[in-house]
């Protein structure tokens, strides 16, 4: 059949298929560099999503696979996609993108994924844009003969959730044409009340004063609004007003995740006594002997985890040395008012 003999219906179908292929190049990708993902923004009207069960997604998207020492990764797409930020990019050899960017990144994490995000952030704000949850594994407790039944209601509800996105994916609106959801004045007061509650913990030396947690605490209102919006949509509510009950639930969820991130950073040795003790032990081990308190402070104040501490670094290091001495990890000596430390036996 020649091109002239193709029916209008066939041409329309071919156009829709081609459009869907273009869209799916930028939606639900499992592995991409920021530059690769940016190429798809024109066809998807500024929308992108990356979903994977492999840590390689973070390695590529956050630059770990190709960044190299001293090279900064281009995280602008992830940073702006968090809240519909404006992007106006110019690229040599290809067309850039100008407009609002709205995106989502989801990884069903493996070991090391959280550290990848925190290390890639490096003060740029990447980590606080992610909701991170680390659950205990079931290894050693599984029963391989047990058959886990899937609930019909859960599967049916999930299928229903997916169905409503089909039209959106096939014919995406521009960000300016999206339906606007609103929060009531009381809902905003609830959010502000929660922010007031955690504000003291963001101060220097506070519970959330670490650079990663402080950033997450400062952006917690945005996370609450996003969670509340998703809860509202999952109820199939046709109203554009997000109910206060969803705001309250979102506050509870955000608070639990913030506390979980605190425990996670402590357990991973990113902050807290575990990280501080390890830093001191590694330093003294590398020096093979006794070091004065002043030498230890001067060296450790520029290394992790002390360098990102927002309070008095010298005070924190002294407190760490005192705690380790109390536990027998260090031996303290004082000769002519000069305080020195060495590893305990």
């Amino acid at each position: 059949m020649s091109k002239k003999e193709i029916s209008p219906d066939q041409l329309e179908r071919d156009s829709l298929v081609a459009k869907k292929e273009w869209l799916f190049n930028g939606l639900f990708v499992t592995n991409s560099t920021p530059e690769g993902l940016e190429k798809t923004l024109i066809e998807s009207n500024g929308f992108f999503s990356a979903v994977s069960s492999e840590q390689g997604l973070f390695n590529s998207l956050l630059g770990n696979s190709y960044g190299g020492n001293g090279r900064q990764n281009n995280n602008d797409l992830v940073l702006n996609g968090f809240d519909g930020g404006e992007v106006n990019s110019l690229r040599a050899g290809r067309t850039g993108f100008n407009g609002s960017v709205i995106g989502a990144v989801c990884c069903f994490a493996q070991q090391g994924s959280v550290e990848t995000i925190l290390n890639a952030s490096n003060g740029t704000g990447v980590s606080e844009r992610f909701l991170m949850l680390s659950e205990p594994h079931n290894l050693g407790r599984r029963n391989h003969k047990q058959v886990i039944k899937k609930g019909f209601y859960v599967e049916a509800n999930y299928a229903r959730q997916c169905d409503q996105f089909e039209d959106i994916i096939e014919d995406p609106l521009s960000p300016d044409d999206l339906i606007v959801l609103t929060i009531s004045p009381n809902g905003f007061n609830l959010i502000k009340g929660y922010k007031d509650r955690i504000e003291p913990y963001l101060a220097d030396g506070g519970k959330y004063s670490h650079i990663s947690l402080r950033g997450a605490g400062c952006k917690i209102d945005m996370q609450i609004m996003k969670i509340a919006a998703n809860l509202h949509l999952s109820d199939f509510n046709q109203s554009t007003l997000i109910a206060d009950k969803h705001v309250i639930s979102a506050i509870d969820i955000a608070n639990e995740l913030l506390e979980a991130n605190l425990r996670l950073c402590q357990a991973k040795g990113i902050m807290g006594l575990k990280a501080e003790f390890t830093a001191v032990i590694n330093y003294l081990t590398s020096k093979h002997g006794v070091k004065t308190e002043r030498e230890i402070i001067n060296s450790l104040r520029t290394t992790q985890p002390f360098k990102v501490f927002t309070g008095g670094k010298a005070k924190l290091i002294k407190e760490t040395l005192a705690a380790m001495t109390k536990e027998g990890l260090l031996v303290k000596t004082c000769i002519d008012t000069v305080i020195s430390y060495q590893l305990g036996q």
Side-chain angles (χ1 to χ4, degrees), residues 87-102:
V87 170
N88 188 2
S89 61
L90 295 176
R91 296 289 181 258
R94 61 180 172 86
T95 305
F97 177 78
N98 181 11
S100 296
V101 176
I102 299 175

Side-chain angles (χ1 to χ4, degrees), residues 162-303:
C162 293
D163 286 342
Q164 68 177 331
F165 294 117
E166 183 177 358
D167 293 339
I168 299 172
I169 292 172
E170 292 186 353
D171 190 18
L173 299 172
S174 68
D176 292 338
D177 295 328
L178 295 175
I179 296 172
V180 177
L181 299 179
T182 59
I183 294 176
S184 71
N186 184 59
F188 276 114
N189 281 333
L190 291 170
I191 296 173
K192 292 174 182 177
Y194 174 71
K195 291 196 71 176
D196 284 341
R197 201 167 84 216
I198 68 170
E199 185 67 24
Y201 299 138
L202 302 177
D204 290 349
K207 183 167 68 169
Y208 301 141
S209 63
H210 186 273
I211 187 171
S212 297
L213 295 173
R214 176 178 276 182
C218 290
K219 286 187 172 60
I220 198 71
D221 54 342
M222 181 62 71
Q223 296 286 17
I224 290 170
M225 288 188 281
K226 290 160 76 79
I227 294 171
N230 278 283
L231 293 174
H232 172 82
L233 294 173
S234 67
D235 266 356
F236 300 100
N237 197 320
Q238 298 301 312
S239 171
T240 59
L241 179 65
I242 298 174
D244 288 351
K245 66 176 183 179
H246 292 319
V247 176
I248 294 171
S249 296
I251 290 172
D252 291 339
I253 292 171
N255 183 68
E256 285 296 321
L257 290 172
L258 192 58
E259 285 292 316
N261 282 352
L262 173 63
R263 295 190 295 269
L264 195 61
C265 287
Q266 292 170 338
K268 298 289 186 181
I270 296 167
M271 62 173 291
L273 290 179
K274 180 179 179 181
E276 292 151 12
F277 283 16
T278 300
V280 173
I281 291 172
N282 289 342
Y283 170 72
L284 291 176
T285 301
S286 68
K287 298 304 178 182
H288 307 291
V290 180
K291 286 295 173 183
T292 67
E293 183 179 71
R294 178 52 49 197
E295 288 175 323
I296 296 172
I297 291 173
N298 287 339
S299 179
L300 293 183
R301 69 192 310 158
T302 58
T303 61

